[in-house]
CSV table of all heavy atoms in Angstrom, one decimal:
chain,number,residue,atom,x,y,z
U,1,LEU,N,0.9,-1.2,0.0
U,1,LEU,CA,0.0,0.0,0.0
U,1,LEU,C,0.9,1.3,0.0
U,1,LEU,O,1.4,1.6,1.0
U,1,LEU,CB,-0.9,0.0,1.3
U,1,LEU,CG,-1.9,-1.2,1.3
U,1,LEU,CD1,-2.7,-1.1,2.6
U,1,LEU,CD2,-2.9,-1.1,0.1
U,2,ASN,N,1.1,1.8,-1.1
U,2,ASN,CA,2.0,3.0,-1.3
U,2,ASN,C,1.2,4.2,-0.7
U,2,ASN,O,0.1,4.5,-1.1
U,2,ASN,CB,2.3,3.2,-2.8
U,2,ASN,CG,3.3,4.2,-3.0
U,2,ASN,OD1,3.6,5.0,-2.1
U,2,ASN,ND2,3.9,4.2,-4.3
U,3,HIS,N,2.0,4.9,0.1
U,3,HIS,CA,1.3,6.0,0.9
U,3,HIS,C,1.0,7.1,-0.2
U,3,HIS,O,0.1,8.0,0.1
U,3,HIS,CB,2.2,6.5,2.0
U,3,HIS,CG,3.5,7.2,1.5
U,3,HIS,ND1,4.6,6.4,1.1
U,3,HIS,CD2,3.9,8.5,1.3
U,3,HIS,CE1,5.6,7.2,0.8
U,3,HIS,NE2,5.2,8.4,0.9
U,4,GLU,N,1.8,7.3,-1.2
U,4,GLU,CA,1.5,8.3,-2.2
U,4,GLU,C,0.2,8.2,-2.9
U,4,GLU,O,-0.4,9.1,-3.3
U,4,GLU,CB,2.6,8.4,-3.3
U,4,GLU,CG,4.0,8.7,-2.7
U,4,GLU,CD,5.1,8.7,-3.7
U,4,GLU,OE1,4.7,8.4,-5.0
U,4,GLU,OE2,6.2,8.9,-3.4
U,5,VAL,N,-0.3,6.9,-3.0
U,5,VAL,CA,-1.6,6.8,-3.6
U,5,VAL,C,-2.8,7.4,-2.9
U,5,VAL,O,-3.8,7.8,-3.5
U,5,VAL,CB,-1.9,5.2,-3.8
U,5,VAL,CG1,-3.3,4.9,-4.3
U,5,VAL,CG2,-0.8,4.6,-4.7
U,6,PHE,N,-2.6,7.5,-1.6
U,6,PHE,CA,-3.6,8.0,-0.7
U,6,PHE,C,-3.5,9.5,-0.4
U,6,PHE,O,-4.2,10.0,0.6
U,6,PHE,CB,-3.7,7.2,0.6
U,6,PHE,CG,-4.0,5.8,0.3
U,6,PHE,CD1,-2.9,4.9,0.2
U,6,PHE,CD2,-5.2,5.3,0.2
U,6,PHE,CE1,-3.1,3.5,-0.1
U,6,PHE,CE2,-5.4,3.9,0.0
U,6,PHE,CZ,-4.4,3.0,-0.1
U,7,SER,N,-2.6,10.2,-1.1
U,7,SER,CA,-2.4,11.6,-0.8
U,7,SER,C,-3.7,12.5,-1.1
U,7,SER,O,-3.8,13.6,-0.6
U,7,SER,CB,-1.2,12.1,-1.6
U,7,SER,OG,-1.4,12.0,-3.0
U,8,ASP,N,-4.6,11.9,-2.0
U,8,ASP,CA,-5.7,12.7,-2.3
U,8,ASP,C,-7.0,12.4,-1.5
U,8,ASP,O,-8.0,13.0,-1.7
U,8,ASP,CB,-6.1,12.5,-3.8
U,8,ASP,CG,-5.1,13.0,-4.8
U,8,ASP,OD1,-4.8,14.2,-4.7
U,8,ASP,OD2,-4.5,12.2,-5.6
U,9,VAL,N,-6.9,11.5,-0.6
U,9,VAL,CA,-8.0,11.1,0.2
U,9,VAL,C,-7.7,11.2,1.7
U,9,VAL,O,-7.8,10.2,2.5
U,9,VAL,CB,-8.5,9.7,-0.2
U,9,VAL,CG1,-9.2,9.7,-1.5
U,9,VAL,CG2,-7.3,8.7,-0.1
U,10,LYS,N,-7.2,12.3,2.1
U,10,LYS,CA,-6.6,12.5,3.5
U,10,LYS,C,-7.8,12.5,4.5
U,10,LYS,O,-7.6,12.4,5.7
U,10,LYS,CB,-5.8,13.7,3.6
U,10,LYS,CG,-4.5,13.6,2.8
U,10,LYS,CD,-3.7,14.8,3.0
U,10,LYS,CE,-2.4,14.8,2.3
U,10,LYS,NZ,-1.5,15.9,2.5
U,11,GLU,N,-9.1,12.6,4.0
U,11,GLU,CA,-10.2,12.7,4.9
U,11,GLU,C,-10.8,11.2,5.1
U,11,GLU,O,-11.9,11.1,5.7
U,11,GLU,CB,-11.3,13.6,4.4
U,11,GLU,CG,-10.8,15.1,4.2
U,11,GLU,CD,-10.5,15.7,5.5
U,11,GLU,OE1,-11.2,15.4,6.5
U,11,GLU,OE2,-9.5,16.4,5.6
U,12,LEU,N,-10.1,10.3,4.6
U,12,LEU,CA,-10.6,8.9,4.6
U,12,LEU,C,-10.8,8.5,6.1
U,12,LEU,O,-10.0,8.6,6.9
U,12,LEU,CB,-9.7,8.0,3.9
U,12,LEU,CG,-10.2,6.6,3.4
U,12,LEU,CD1,-11.3,6.8,2.4
U,12,LEU,CD2,-9.1,5.7,2.9
U,13,GLN,N,-12.0,7.9,6.4
U,13,GLN,CA,-12.3,7.4,7.7
U,13,GLN,C,-12.3,5.9,7.8
U,13,GLN,O,-12.1,5.4,8.9
U,13,GLN,CB,-13.6,8.0,8.2
U,13,GLN,CG,-13.7,9.5,8.3
U,13,GLN,CD,-15.0,10.0,8.7
U,13,GLN,OE1,-15.9,9.3,9.0
U,13,GLN,NE2,-15.1,11.4,8.6
U,14,VAL,N,-12.6,5.2,6.7
U,14,VAL,CA,-12.6,3.8,6.7
U,14,VAL,C,-11.8,3.2,5.6
U,14,VAL,O,-12.0,3.5,4.4
U,14,VAL,CB,-14.1,3.2,6.5
U,14,VAL,CG1,-14.1,1.7,6.5
U,14,VAL,CG2,-15.0,3.8,7.7
U,15,LEU,N,-10.8,2.3,5.9
U,15,LEU,CA,-10.0,1.6,4.9
U,15,LEU,C,-10.0,0.2,5.2
U,15,LEU,O,-9.6,-0.2,6.2
U,15,LEU,CB,-8.5,2.2,4.9
U,15,LEU,CG,-7.6,1.5,4.0
U,15,LEU,CD1,-7.9,1.7,2.5
U,15,LEU,CD2,-6.1,2.0,4.2
U,16,ARG,N,-10.4,-0.5,4.1
U,16,ARG,CA,-10.4,-2.0,4.2
U,16,ARG,C,-9.6,-2.5,3.1
U,16,ARG,O,-9.8,-2.3,1.9
U,16,ARG,CB,-11.9,-2.5,4.1
U,16,ARG,CG,-12.8,-2.1,5.2
U,16,ARG,CD,-14.2,-2.8,5.1
U,16,ARG,NE,-14.9,-2.5,6.3
U,16,ARG,CZ,-15.7,-1.5,6.5
U,16,ARG,NH1,-15.9,-0.6,5.5
U,16,ARG,NH2,-16.5,-1.4,7.6
U,17,CYS,N,-8.6,-3.3,3.5
U,17,CYS,CA,-7.8,-4.1,2.5
U,17,CYS,C,-7.6,-5.5,3.0
U,17,CYS,O,-6.5,-6.0,3.3
U,17,CYS,CB,-6.4,-3.4,2.3
U,17,CYS,SG,-5.6,-3.9,0.8
U,18,ARG,N,-8.7,-6.2,3.4
U,18,ARG,CA,-8.7,-7.5,3.9
U,18,ARG,C,-8.3,-8.5,2.7
U,18,ARG,O,-8.9,-8.4,1.6
U,18,ARG,CB,-10.0,-7.9,4.5
U,18,ARG,CG,-10.2,-9.3,4.9
U,18,ARG,CD,-11.6,-9.4,5.6
U,18,ARG,NE,-11.5,-8.8,6.9
U,18,ARG,CZ,-11.2,-9.4,8.0
U,18,ARG,NH1,-10.9,-10.7,8.0
U,18,ARG,NH2,-11.3,-8.7,9.1
U,19,GLY,N,-7.4,-9.4,3.0
U,19,GLY,CA,-7.1,-10.5,2.0
U,19,GLY,C,-6.3,-10.0,0.9
U,19,GLY,O,-6.5,-10.5,-0.3
U,20,CYS,N,-5.5,-8.9,1.0
U,20,CYS,CA,-4.8,-8.3,-0.1
U,20,CYS,C,-3.3,-8.9,-0.2
U,20,CYS,O,-2.6,-8.5,-1.2
U,20,CYS,CB,-4.7,-6.8,0.1
U,20,CYS,SG,-6.3,-6.0,-0.2
U,21,GLY,N,-2.9,-9.6,0.8
U,21,GLY,CA,-1.5,-10.2,0.8
U,21,GLY,C,-0.5,-9.1,1.3
U,21,GLY,O,0.7,-9.3,1.0
U,22,VAL,N,-1.0,-8.2,2.1
U,22,VAL,CA,-0.1,-7.2,2.7
U,22,VAL,C,0.8,-7.8,3.7
U,22,VAL,O,0.3,-8.5,4.7
U,22,VAL,CB,-0.8,-6.1,3.3
U,22,VAL,CG1,0.1,-5.0,4.0
U,22,VAL,CG2,-1.8,-5.4,2.3
U,23,ALA,N,2.2,-7.7,3.6
U,23,ALA,CA,3.2,-8.3,4.5
U,23,ALA,C,3.7,-7.2,5.4
U,23,ALA,O,4.2,-7.5,6.5
U,23,ALA,CB,4.3,-8.9,3.7
U,24,ALA,N,3.6,-5.9,5.1
U,24,ALA,CA,4.1,-4.9,6.0
U,24,ALA,C,3.4,-3.5,5.6
U,24,ALA,O,2.9,-3.4,4.5
U,24,ALA,CB,5.6,-4.7,5.8
U,25,VAL,N,3.4,-2.7,6.6
U,25,VAL,CA,2.7,-1.4,6.4
U,25,VAL,C,3.8,-0.3,6.8
U,25,VAL,O,4.6,-0.5,7.7
U,25,VAL,CB,1.5,-1.2,7.2
U,25,VAL,CG1,0.4,-2.0,6.6
U,25,VAL,CG2,1.7,-1.4,8.6
U,26,ASN,N,3.7,0.8,6.2
U,26,ASN,CA,4.7,1.9,6.4
U,26,ASN,C,4.0,2.9,7.2
U,26,ASN,O,2.8,3.3,7.0
U,26,ASN,CB,5.1,2.5,5.0
U,26,ASN,CG,6.3,3.4,5.2
U,26,ASN,OD1,6.4,4.1,6.2
U,26,ASN,ND2,7.2,3.5,4.1
U,27,ARG,N,4.7,3.4,8.2
U,27,ARG,CA,4.1,4.5,9.0
U,27,ARG,C,3.7,5.7,8.2
U,27,ARG,O,2.7,6.4,8.6
U,27,ARG,CB,5.2,4.9,10.1
U,27,ARG,CG,4.6,6.1,11.0
U,27,ARG,CD,5.5,6.4,12.1
U,27,ARG,NE,5.2,7.6,12.8
U,27,ARG,CZ,5.8,8.1,13.9
U,27,ARG,NH1,6.8,7.5,14.3
U,27,ARG,NH2,5.4,9.2,14.4
U,28,SER,N,4.4,5.9,7.1
U,28,SER,CA,4.0,7.1,6.3
U,28,SER,C,2.5,6.9,5.7
U,28,SER,O,1.9,8.0,5.5
U,28,SER,CB,5.0,7.2,5.0
U,28,SER,OG,6.3,7.4,5.5
U,29,LEU,N,2.1,5.7,5.6
U,29,LEU,CA,0.7,5.5,5.1
U,29,LEU,C,-0.2,6.0,6.2
U,29,LEU,O,-1.2,6.7,5.8
U,29,LEU,CB,0.5,4.0,4.9
U,29,LEU,CG,-0.9,3.6,4.6
U,29,LEU,CD1,-1.5,4.2,3.3
U,29,LEU,CD2,-1.1,2.1,4.5
U,30,PHE,N,0.0,5.7,7.4
U,30,PHE,CA,-0.9,6.1,8.4
U,30,PHE,C,-0.8,7.6,8.7
U,30,PHE,O,-1.7,8.2,9.2
U,30,PHE,CB,-0.6,5.3,9.7
U,30,PHE,CG,-0.9,3.8,9.6
U,30,PHE,CD1,-0.1,2.9,10.3
U,30,PHE,CD2,-1.9,3.3,8.7
U,30,PHE,CE1,-0.4,1.5,10.2
U,30,PHE,CE2,-2.1,2.0,8.5
U,30,PHE,CZ,-1.4,1.1,9.3
U,31,GLU,N,0.4,8.1,8.5
U,31,GLU,CA,0.5,9.6,8.6
U,31,GLU,C,-0.4,10.3,7.5
U,31,GLU,O,-1.0,11.4,7.8
U,31,GLU,CB,2.0,10.0,8.4
U,31,GLU,CG,2.8,9.6,9.6
U,31,GLU,CD,4.2,9.9,9.4
U,31,GLU,OE1,4.7,10.2,8.3
U,31,GLU,OE2,5.0,9.9,10.5
U,32,GLN,N,-0.5,9.8,6.4
U,32,GLN,CA,-1.4,10.3,5.3
U,32,GLN,C,-2.8,10.2,5.8
U,32,GLN,O,-3.7,11.0,5.4
U,32,GLN,CB,-1.2,9.6,4.0
U,32,GLN,CG,0.1,9.8,3.3
U,32,GLN,CD,0.2,11.1,2.5
U,32,GLN,OE1,-0.7,12.0,2.6
U,32,GLN,NE2,1.2,11.2,1.7
U,33,LEU,N,-3.1,9.1,6.5
U,33,LEU,CA,-4.6,8.8,6.8
U,33,LEU,C,-4.9,8.9,8.3
U,33,LEU,O,-5.4,8.1,9.0
U,33,LEU,CB,-4.9,7.4,6.4
U,33,LEU,CG,-4.6,7.0,4.9
U,33,LEU,CD1,-4.9,5.6,4.7
U,33,LEU,CD2,-5.5,7.9,4.0
U,34,ALA,N,-4.5,10.1,8.8
U,34,ALA,CA,-4.5,10.4,10.3
U,34,ALA,C,-6.0,10.4,10.8
U,34,ALA,O,-6.2,10.3,12.0
U,34,ALA,CB,-3.9,11.6,10.7
U,35,GLU,N,-6.9,10.6,9.9
U,35,GLU,CA,-8.4,10.6,10.3
U,35,GLU,C,-9.1,9.2,10.3
U,35,GLU,O,-10.3,9.2,10.6
U,35,GLU,CB,-9.2,11.6,9.3
U,35,GLU,CG,-8.6,13.0,9.3
U,35,GLU,CD,-8.7,13.7,10.6
U,35,GLU,OE1,-9.7,13.4,11.3
U,35,GLU,OE2,-7.8,14.5,11.0
U,36,LEU,N,-8.3,8.2,10.1
U,36,LEU,CA,-8.9,6.9,10.0
U,36,LEU,C,-9.7,6.5,11.3
U,36,LEU,O,-9.0,6.7,12.4
U,36,LEU,CB,-7.9,5.8,9.7
U,36,LEU,CG,-7.6,5.5,8.2
U,36,LEU,CD1,-6.6,4.3,8.1
U,36,LEU,CD2,-8.9,5.1,7.4
U,37,GLN,N,-10.8,6.0,11.2
U,37,GLN,CA,-11.5,5.5,12.4
U,37,GLN,C,-11.7,4.0,12.3
U,37,GLN,O,-11.7,3.3,13.3
U,37,GLN,CB,-12.9,6.1,12.4
U,37,GLN,CG,-12.9,7.6,12.7
U,37,GLN,CD,-14.2,8.2,12.8
U,37,GLN,OE1,-15.3,7.5,13.0
U,37,GLN,NE2,-14.4,9.5,12.7
U,38,VAL,N,-11.7,3.3,11.1
U,38,VAL,CA,-11.7,1.9,10.9
U,38,VAL,C,-10.6,1.5,10.0
U,38,VAL,O,-10.5,2.0,8.9
U,38,VAL,CB,-13.1,1.5,10.3
U,38,VAL,CG1,-13.2,-0.1,10.1
U,38,VAL,CG2,-14.2,1.9,11.3
U,39,LEU,N,-9.8,0.5,10.4
U,39,LEU,CA,-8.7,0.0,9.7
U,39,LEU,C,-8.8,-1.5,9.7
U,39,LEU,O,-8.7,-2.1,10.8
U,39,LEU,CB,-7.3,0.4,10.2
U,39,LEU,CG,-6.1,-0.2,9.5
U,39,LEU,CD1,-6.1,0.2,8.1
U,39,LEU,CD2,-4.8,0.2,10.2
U,40,ASP,N,-9.1,-2.1,8.5
U,40,ASP,CA,-9.3,-3.5,8.4
U,40,ASP,C,-8.2,-4.1,7.5
U,40,ASP,O,-8.1,-3.9,6.3
U,40,ASP,CB,-10.6,-3.9,7.8
U,40,ASP,CG,-10.9,-5.4,7.8
U,40,ASP,OD1,-10.0,-6.2,8.1
U,40,ASP,OD2,-12.1,-5.8,7.4
U,41,LEU,N,-7.2,-4.8,8.1
U,41,LEU,CA,-6.1,-5.4,7.5
U,41,LEU,C,-6.1,-6.9,7.8
U,41,LEU,O,-5.0,-7.6,7.9
U,41,LEU,CB,-4.7,-4.8,7.9
U,41,LEU,CG,-4.5,-3.3,7.5
U,41,LEU,CD1,-3.2,-2.9,8.1
U,41,LEU,CD2,-4.5,-3.2,6.0
U,42,GLY,N,-7.3,-7.5,8.0
U,42,GLY,CA,-7.4,-8.9,8.3
U,42,GLY,C,-7.0,-9.8,7.1
U,42,GLY,O,-7.0,-9.4,6.0
U,43,ASP,N,-6.7,-11.0,7.4
U,43,ASP,CA,-6.4,-12.1,6.4
U,43,ASP,C,-5.3,-11.6,5.5
U,43,ASP,O,-5.3,-11.8,4.3
U,43,ASP,CB,-7.6,-12.4,5.6
U,43,ASP,CG,-8.7,-13.2,6.4
U,43,ASP,OD1,-8.3,-13.9,7.4
U,43,ASP,OD2,-9.8,-13.1,6.2
U,44,ASN,N,-4.2,-11.0,6.1
U,44,ASN,CA,-3.0,-10.7,5.4
U,44,ASN,C,-1.8,-11.5,5.9
U,44,ASN,O,-1.9,-12.5,6.5
U,44,ASN,CB,-2.8,-9.2,5.4
U,44,ASN,CG,-3.7,-8.4,4.5
U,44,ASN,OD1,-3.5,-8.5,3.3
U,44,ASN,ND2,-4.7,-7.7,5.0
U,45,LYS,N,-0.6,-11.0,5.7
U,45,LYS,CA,0.6,-11.7,6.1
U,45,LYS,C,1.5,-10.9,7.1
U,45,LYS,O,2.7,-11.0,7.1
U,45,LYS,CB,1.4,-11.9,4.9
U,45,LYS,CG,0.7,-12.9,3.8
U,45,LYS,CD,1.6,-13.1,2.6
U,45,LYS,CE,0.8,-13.9,1.5
U,45,LYS,NZ,1.7,-14.2,0.3
U,46,LEU,N,0.8,-10.0,7.8
U,46,LEU,CA,1.6,-9.2,8.8
U,46,LEU,C,2.1,-10.0,9.9
U,46,LEU,O,1.4,-10.7,10.6
U,46,LEU,CB,0.6,-8.1,9.4
U,46,LEU,CG,0.1,-7.1,8.4
U,46,LEU,CD1,-1.0,-6.2,9.1
U,46,LEU,CD2,1.2,-6.2,7.9
U,47,ALA,N,3.4,-9.9,10.1
U,47,ALA,CA,4.1,-10.7,11.2
U,47,ALA,C,4.5,-9.7,12.3
U,47,ALA,O,4.9,-10.2,13.4
U,47,ALA,CB,5.3,-11.4,10.6
U,48,HIS,N,4.4,-8.4,12.1
U,48,HIS,CA,4.9,-7.5,13.1
U,48,HIS,C,4.1,-6.2,12.9
U,48,HIS,O,3.9,-5.7,11.9
U,48,HIS,CB,6.4,-7.3,13.1
U,48,HIS,CG,6.9,-6.3,14.1
U,48,HIS,ND1,7.0,-4.9,13.8
U,48,HIS,CD2,7.3,-6.4,15.3
U,48,HIS,CE1,7.4,-4.3,14.9
U,48,HIS,NE2,7.7,-5.2,15.8
């Protein structure tokens, strides 16, 4: 999930990427989406 993709939707409150194969997330992504109220990263490959 490239944080630059979400630079135009900074008011996003709900982001779901369940079952996308995500293995890691970058803090920069969450800095772009500081207004998030619901984050669904279930069924991925996050180990940390």
Side-chain angles (χ1 to χ4, degrees):
L1 296 177
N2 188 344
H3 68 279
E4 296 180 0
V5 173
F6 301 91
S7 60
D8 293 306
V9 288
K10 294 184 178 181
E11 301 296 321
L12 201 63
Q13 297 178 5
V14 179
L15 174 61
R16 293 184 173 90
C17 197
R18 174 174 290 269
C20 294
V22 177
V25 290
N26 193 326
R27 177 176 171 175
S28 300
L29 171 66
F30 297 150
E31 289 176 346
Q32 292 275 17
L33 305 175
E35 300 297 322
L36 272 183
Q37 297 183 15
V38 178
L39 176 61
D40 186 353
L41 294 176
D43 291 327
N44 282 292
K45 300 178 181 179
L46 295 172
H48 180 268

